[in-house]
Amino acid sequence: MTVTTAGTSANGNVSAATASAAASAAATAEATGPQSLTMAKALNTAMADAMRADPSVLVFGEDVGMLGGVFRITDGLMAEFGEQRCFDTPLAESGIVGMAVGMAINGMRPVIEMQFDAFAYPAFEQIVSHVAKMHNRTKGKLKMPMVIRVPYAGGIGGVEHHCDSSESYYAHTAGLKVYTPATVADGYRMLREAIGSDDPVMFMEPKKLYWSKDQVDLGALRVEHDAGTSTEGRAAVARPGTDATLIAYGPSVPTALAAAAAAAEEGRSLEVIDVRTLVPFDDETVCASVRKTGRAVVIAEAHGFASVSSEIVARVQERAFHYLAAPILRVTGFDVPFPSPKLEHYYLPSVDRILDAVDDLQWED
Amino acid sequence: MTIHADHSAPETAVEDQAADVRTKFGISVEDYMLPARHQIQMVNPDGTLRSHDEQGTEPGHEYPTPGDSELMAAYEQLVVGRRVNDQNSALVRQGRMAVYPSSHGQEACQVAAAMCLSEGDWLFPTYRDAVAVMTRGVDPVEVMTIFRGDWHGGYDPTEHNVGIQCTPLTTQLLHAVGVAHAAKLRGENTVVMAMCGDGATSEGDFHEALNFAAVFHLPVIFFVQNNKYAISVPLSHQSVAPSLAHKAVGYGMAGERVDGNDLVALLAVMDRAVKLARDGSGPLLIEAHTYRMQAHTNADDATRYRPDSEVAEWQAKDPLARMKSYLTDKGLLDAAASERIASHAEAVATQLREGLGEDVPVQPLDLFKYVFAKQTPQLKEQSELLASELARASSGDTDNSGTESAK
Ligand SMILES: Cc1ncc(C[n+]2csc(CCOP(=O)(O)OP(=O)(O)O)c2C)c(N)n1
Ligand SMILES: [Mg+2]
């Protein structure tokens, strides 16, 4: 297959752009108005749209070609864009990421898939030592416009090595941006923004939400993307409330929303914040909510110790201490290896555990 | 940008390659991929030319002798490289540089790795390959910035197509693969030189890079400088393969061994490898036998793990002396040329002394400037914190000095 259009290249060695207007117009025309969409389809559409708009966008990984990925997120991309732009690699995660680094150096925008959270660990050295550091090391002469997609977290009864919440490792690494969508619309929105970003993005996909559905207007989302609307560093108020704030991200957002709904029945109004991008973190929106409510619970599936949830608590108390009526509490995974399928529900943050934490926010004082 | 080149191996890739080798070289694919029985060596340590029969070549492993002008240009770089190594070691002793992993003794490899490439090609060097980076045209003082400690890299990789000298062993080989892959997808004729040491061949990324390059049939030359040691650990503790070049066949690529202190043989082997890679033969693995004459870095004590007699043995195989007497005997190098080359080397050494002698003030706020293309609010805040500390320090604020005087 031959693509003769050109997109923007972060490292500047691809000829100038003539956007494939026809293709994206066709894509836009095919879907306007709200439709029922899964997160999986939203992510898939985001990649397809990005590939249509910019021939330097490449998708590769393990089983992403013919099969369309073990979660089918890359379904149909090889058929539409050819084996040159969507292809399977040998089984070697460090190889996938390291090769993507070289491709990014040489004018491409790789979007690569790690098959599962725990199988991304062989690539850790490339991610930490090169993906995260190349821009800084070269004073911006080399950019790393790549997206590393990681299906992560539990809730699907997965066996060992298939359910890790590995976001803290990446969030802790200077030089990486870390996104994690919780809604279908954000799946599209945030993946398109990640692919367009000149910074490397760890794109953490809550795998239990792949099949979640929502009414989504793809046409409107495309217009929003083309207008340059950004989600990076912007948390969303997923549900407004006044009595306490639940701060959640990725797979924990629906759990937090369910807890807020249950609390409402008991007359307690909980605000739910969906953090959306862990790096950069939206201090403003989160702290504004906590200042308003005076109480907060942070919810995350990952082990609590030395994690994103601990970072959130630290940041909020540094900035909103005098507004707090109670210590900020956390509902997180226990500090144990992710459990086997029959035990995972004891581990995962649940509605009940969240409501218990809310009850503990010193309402008597 | 056009993406069209086919990079996916057809079902018949293995048979196709075998047939291709038979037509091109008249030998079996195994004989092509396995290195020749002996290393390729063209000039003896005493500078005399070996007879054709003694050069280690075999059918399908034939190497034309490089031309006179190429040899002279390479010799000049060899002399400059040696001078640079010794100048830098001196600068370390004077405290002008934090560290320098010298390639003293390996300069022929350094020069050949850079000189065999054309302008659009790429080079991915290690910490030890500063001379190769310079030979490629990068400004010497910019090359040494990394060792002086100003920043983790001193040159713009896109200016001469040279990656930043890489320390995490063999991770750069995959970057080489990616650069070659991107070029191939765009139908560009780029060859990529990927360098590493003997010890580094034990790393996982070495394996992944060779396999990826072979599967995607990419024009990457993996160039291993076998200097016998990884810091203190001898090669026998890394591998029991017949040679490192033999590893190639396991990936479906060709391997070759060459005398790494023989610049003539190196150029011959590397030039042919580049030509083969550029013409679509896929990746190649070249192992050069050489020796690190000095310690691993200035911080290392080589006497703890290798005998002086071994060093002396290699002293007699010095690449510089050998090339000098070969070119002199050949009538190419006379006193005037020697003098001109020596003064070129001296000029580069002076440039290094002057460039590294002056204290360039560091820019603390640069810490925050380049972490991301699009900065985060958190880094902006931290940058402002450091800026206000700096401002207070420079105005001699009493809050700061107060704690000092209170002691
Ligand atoms: C992944 C990794 N592990 C360990 C080191 C520390 N280290 C630096 S150089 C070196 C020896 C490498 O030996 P070799 O590959 O033979 O190259 P040489 O130094 O001899 O040129 C070691 C162990 C490193 N840089 N990277
Ligand atoms: Mg070595």
Side-chain angles (χ1 to χ4, degrees):
Chain A
M1 171 187 162
T2 304
V3 178
T4 42
T5 54
T8 47
S9 154
N11 290 321
N13 35 11
V14 176
S15 56
T18 41
S20 56
S24 76
T28 312
E30 118 207 348
T32 40
Q35 56 176 314
S36 177
L37 215 65
T38 59
M39 168 87 88
K41 187 63 189 167
L43 296 168
N44 176 267
T45 309
M47 278 186 279
D49 283 358
M51 291 176 90
R52 279 182 206 117
D54 180 354
S56 67
V57 176
L58 306 175
V59 170
F60 53 92
E62 297 165 2
D63 297 295
V64 301
M66 199 89 88
L67 183 69
V70 292
F71 292 105
R72 308 290 183 269
I73 310 300
T74 59
D75 190 30
L77 298 182
M78 191 171 96
E80 179 173 352
F81 300 100
E83 281 182 60
Q84 286 67 45
R85 296 187 60 201
C86 175
F87 55 89
D88 293 324
T89 65
L91 292 181
E93 293 74 15
S94 187
I96 294 167
V97 175
M99 181 167 79
V101 169
M103 287 183 151
I105 289 174
N106 202 3
M108 298 298 189
R109 289 184 176 275
V111 181
I112 57 184
E113 178 171 303
M114 297 284 106
Q115 201 157 62
F116 283 89
D117 32 58
F119 303 139
Y121 299 147
F124 199 62
E125 183 186 25
Q126 286 287 348
I127 294 172
V128 171
S129 294
H130 294 300
V131 175
K133 292 178 179 168
M134 195 66 83
H135 189 274
N136 187 62
R137 173 189 297 140
T138 62
K139 293 198 169 178
K141 298 290 195 260
L142 293 182
K143 298 187 168 49
M144 284 288 112
M146 68 161 83
V147 180
I148 302 177
R149 296 181 35 246
V150 184
Y152 84 117
I156 60 160
V159 294
E160 198 187 8
H161 313 299
H162 293 72
C163 296
D164 282 14
S165 286
S166 47
E167 69 274 18
S168 298
Y169 304 130
Y170 306 117
H172 184 71
T173 301
L176 299 174
K177 290 186 170 164
V178 185
Y179 294 9
T180 182
T183 69
V184 176
D186 274 351
Y188 180 89
R189 207 179 259 139
M190 291 169 67
L191 186 51
R192 287 245 29 208
E193 181 168 359
I195 297 171
S197 168
D198 280 349
D199 288 313
V201 177
M202 297 302 303
F203 198 84
M204 311 300 293
E205 301 174 359
K207 63 174 92 70
K208 78 167 190 202
L209 300 184
Y210 274 148
W211 305 282
S212 65
K213 273 193 179 164
D214 212 345
Q215 288 293 314
V216 166
D217 185 344
L218 276 175
L221 284 170
R222 286 176 176 128
V223 170
E224 200 185 279
H225 173 80
D226 292 343
T229 312
S230 174
T231 299
E232 186 177 290
R234 291 194 171 84
V237 179
R239 175 188 172 111
T242 52
D243 298 341
T245 303
L246 303 182
I247 305 165
Y249 58 85
S252 299
V253 172
T255 322
L257 285 169
E265 283 174 24
E266 292 165 15
R268 200 165 263 165
S269 164
L270 303 183
E271 181 147 295
V272 178
I273 302 288
D274 172 1
V275 174
R276 302 209 283 192
T277 68
L278 307 182
V279 181
F281 186 76
D282 184 354
D283 287 305
E284 235 172 88
T285 303
V286 173
C287 292
S289 173
V290 177
R291 285 192 196 104
K292 181 181 77 180
T293 62
R295 289 179 169 84
V297 177
V298 182
I299 301 142
E301 278 193 24
H303 319 302
F305 192 84
S307 67
V308 170
S309 65
S310 20
E311 176 65 21
I312 294 174
V313 173
R315 305 187 73 81
V316 174
Q317 70 82 20
E318 280 168 355
R319 288 163 179 76
F321 181 77
H322 292 292
Y323 296 83
L324 290 172
I328 304 165
L329 297 182
R330 288 186 294 159
V331 177
T332 68
F334 297 122
D335 296 327
V336 301
F338 194 89
S340 51
K342 287 184 181 165
L343 289 165
E344 78 170 346
H345 69 279
Y346 295 105
Y347 170 93
L348 294 170
S350 63
V351 169
D352 284 346
R353 212 173 273 159
I354 295 169
L355 292 175
D356 285 349
V358 169
D359 282 344
D360 286 345
L361 291 174
Q362 302 185 3
W363 298 95
E364 305 312 321
D365 296 0
Chain B
M1 178 173 75
T2 309
I3 288 188
H4 55 74
D6 190 12
H7 65 139
S8 45
E11 299 296 322
T12 55
V14 172
E15 297 90 71
D16 290 355
Q17 192 174 11
D20 196 40
V21 164
R22 261 194 307 279
T23 9
K24 265 197 200 152
F25 309 108
I27 51 175
S28 75
V29 72
E30 290 82 2
D31 285 342
Y32 170 69
M33 287 179 184
L34 284 168
R37 222 149 303 135
H38 301 284
Q39 68 171 354
I40 309 300
Q41 186 188 358
M42 293 182 166
V43 176
N44 288 309
D46 66 2
T48 55
L49 185 70
R50 294 169 84 89
S51 74
H52 185 75
D53 304 344
E54 294 171 336
Q55 292 186 355
T57 58
E58 289 170 13
H61 295 257
E62 274 142 342
Y63 298 96
T65 320
D68 292 348
S69 60
E70 184 182 359
L71 292 178
M72 281 300 285
Y75 174 70
E76 180 158 353
Q77 293 301 331
L78 192 64
V79 174
V80 172
R82 172 63 54 85
R83 186 71 190 86
V84 164
N85 274 331
D86 294 346
Q87 180 62 73
N88 285 342
S89 296
L91 286 165
V92 171
R93 286 192 297 274
Q94 294 157 18
R96 282 282 154 202
M97 262 159 58
V99 67
Y100 181 68
S102 175
S103 63
H104 186 121
Q106 303 177 213
E107 291 95 343
C109 296
Q110 297 286 304
V111 168
M115 288 195 64
C116 65
L117 299 175
S118 300
E119 204 181 317
D121 295 339
W122 273 84
L123 177 81
F124 282 87
T126 74
Y127 50 89
R128 198 174 299 290
D129 302 320
V131 170
V133 175
M134 279 183 43
T135 306
R136 185 93 178 113
V138 181
D139 177 80
V141 177
E142 288 183 13
V143 177
M144 302 315 157
T145 298
I146 194 170
F147 302 118
R148 179 164 62 175
D150 299 25
W151 199 257
H152 298 311
Y155 52 89
D156 176 353
T158 61
E159 204 174 311
H160 296 276
N161 289 0
V162 181
I164 295 293
Q165 285 183 262
C166 185
T167 309
L169 299 170
T170 66
T171 53
Q172 77 283 4
L173 305 182
L174 283 162
H175 309 164
V177 167
V179 164
H181 202 161
K184 180 171 184 176
L185 286 171
R186 287 194 300 263
E188 295 163 3
N189 219 355
T190 310
V191 171
V192 185
M193 179 67 60
M195 303 176 75
C196 73
D198 52 301
T201 62
S202 301
E203 293 280 358
D205 279 3
F206 176 81
H207 158 71
E208 297 191 18
L210 267 71
N211 194 44
F212 271 54
V215 168
F216 293 113
H217 206 65
L218 302 173
V220 181
I221 295 162
F222 296 96
F223 182 50
V224 180
Q225 291 170 82
N226 176 358
N227 62 10
K228 313 291 178 273
Y229 291 91
I231 309 184
S232 66
V233 181
L235 181 59
S236 57
H237 291 231
Q238 306 286 350
S239 171
V240 293
S243 82
L244 297 176
H246 278 79
K247 295 193 172 204
V249 67
Y251 300 101
M253 70 172 80
E256 198 71 282
R257 286 173 284 187
V258 57
D259 181 339
N261 286 14
D262 175 357
L263 185 52
V264 181
L266 274 163
L267 289 170
V269 169
M270 302 290 265
D271 284 347
R272 180 173 182 257
V274 169
K275 190 173 179 314
L276 286 173
R278 205 181 307 282
D279 292 349
S281 289
L284 294 104
L285 171 63
I286 296 169
E287 174 189 8
H289 287 270
T290 183
Y291 197 75
R292 191 193 75 213
M293 294 303 292
Q294 296 175 345
H296 174 70
T297 66
N298 46 297
D300 173 42
D301 174 9
T303 62
R304 292 178 72 103
Y305 52 83
R306 64 184 195 187
D308 290 346
S309 58
E310 185 181 283
V311 181
E313 211 177 289
W314 280 90
Q315 185 65 53
K317 300 183 197 169
D318 184 64
L320 219 79
R322 182 186 319 204
M323 193 66 176
K324 184 169 189 181
S325 74
Y326 172 69
L327 292 175
T328 307
D329 290 352
K330 223 175 168 238
L332 291 172
L333 187 69
D334 56 16
S338 273
E339 200 166 306
R340 188 186 55 73
I341 291 170
S343 74
H344 174 197
E346 209 41 54
V348 176
T350 307
Q351 195 188 346
L352 281 167
R353 277 195 309 276
E354 286 172 358
L356 299 169
E358 78 188 75
D359 272 320
V360 185
V362 291
Q363 304 294 333
L365 294 180
D366 279 2
L367 285 176
F368 305 98
K369 241 177 166 169
Y370 305 105
V371 180
F372 292 111
K374 183 176 163 197
Q375 211 190 33
T376 64
Q378 286 74 20
L379 286 186
K380 186 166 173 285
E381 204 178 295
Q382 292 170 23
S383 179
E384 284 161 5
L385 173 75
L386 181 57
S388 73
E389 276 179 22
L390 294 170
R392 262 185 287 147
S394 73
S395 68
D397 185 279
T398 43
D399 279 359
N400 259 354
S401 51
T403 43
E404 290 294 310
S405 52
K407 279 181 196 165

